[in-house]
Amino acid sequence: MSAFNAETADNLEDIEKQFAVVAVEQAETYWSLINKIPGSKLRLTQYDDEIYEAFKSHFPEYTDLDRLTKFDEAELKTKEAKERWRKFIALFEKKIDDFNFGTLLRTDSTKEYGQFTTCFAVRIQFYAFEIARNKNGLNDWAVGCK
């Protein structure tokens, strides 16, 4: 089997669409879950506590519940932020399946997934934010929403 070469691969647009479909399906599944069960009662992984403690340690600014509730996507995209996230991500690359798989993350936990309240992130970033939000009860409002 030869190595995948993105530069010469055909139908890159089709591959991107497939990744987008998976990301949307994951978002729909998560939204459906927090509509049925208070986030404060959920465990997303067997490593929730470890992810939460590492997130607080590496990103203490998000211990401020206002910042955890709502952030600007640009906060994740600066050169400095990318380096900080690389170090965080490295902690979990052998523990979390598909840790770097693209997913959708709500930038405002008081809102549903939407065009202006969602950004593209990697799975471990999703887990970090959503586990912290769940542990702080920030997603409990969603129960019963459709």
Side-chain angles (χ1 to χ4, degrees):
M1 178 185 251
S2 62
F4 176 76
N5 183 341
E7 299 298 321
T8 61
D10 291 331
N11 299 320
L12 285 179
E13 188 174 317
D14 289 340
I15 292 170
E16 288 178 8
K17 286 179 185 174
Q18 289 172 356
F19 280 118
V21 167
V22 171
V24 168
E25 287 173 351
Q26 185 267 328
E28 288 172 345
T29 299
Y30 183 64
W31 183 250
S32 178
L33 188 61
I34 63 174
N35 284 176
K36 293 176 180 65
I37 301 165
S40 57
K41 305 231 184 285
L42 285 177
R43 284 190 66 82
L44 300 181
T45 76
Q46 66 182 7
Y47 301 104
D48 281 15
D49 295 336
E50 187 178 342
I51 292 168
Y52 182 55
E53 292 304 319
F55 183 54
K56 290 190 310 183
S57 174
H58 282 77
F59 300 94
E61 62 270 29
Y62 295 113
T63 60
D64 175 336
L65 294 186
D66 289 335
R67 294 235 12 231
L68 181 61
T69 298
K70 185 176 181 177
F71 66 90
D72 189 308
E73 176 182 5
E75 293 176 34
L76 306 182
K77 309 296 183 187
T78 67
K79 184 178 178 183
E80 176 190 283
K82 287 179 181 180
E83 184 56 35
R84 290 174 71 200
W85 278 107
R86 267 192 287 280
K87 290 176 183 173
F88 179 82
I89 290 166
L91 298 173
F92 298 99
E93 65 184 87
K94 301 238 187 299
K95 293 180 180 181
I96 303 295
D97 290 339
D98 300 324
F99 68 96
N100 64 347
F101 194 84
T103 190
L104 298 175
L105 172 63
R106 291 176 303 140
T107 56
D108 185 344
S109 67
T110 68
K111 309 269 191 244
E112 298 181 31
Y113 284 93
Q115 180 179 354
F116 302 109
T117 58
T118 305
C119 71
F120 194 71
V122 294
R123 182 160 293 158
I124 194 64
Q125 288 174 309
F126 166 85
Y127 283 145
F129 276 95
E130 292 302 333
I131 289 167
R133 288 169 169 173
N134 287 342
K135 286 186 176 286
N136 286 284
L138 299 176
N139 286 327
D140 288 358
W141 69 272
V143 172
C145 291
K146 295 293 177 201

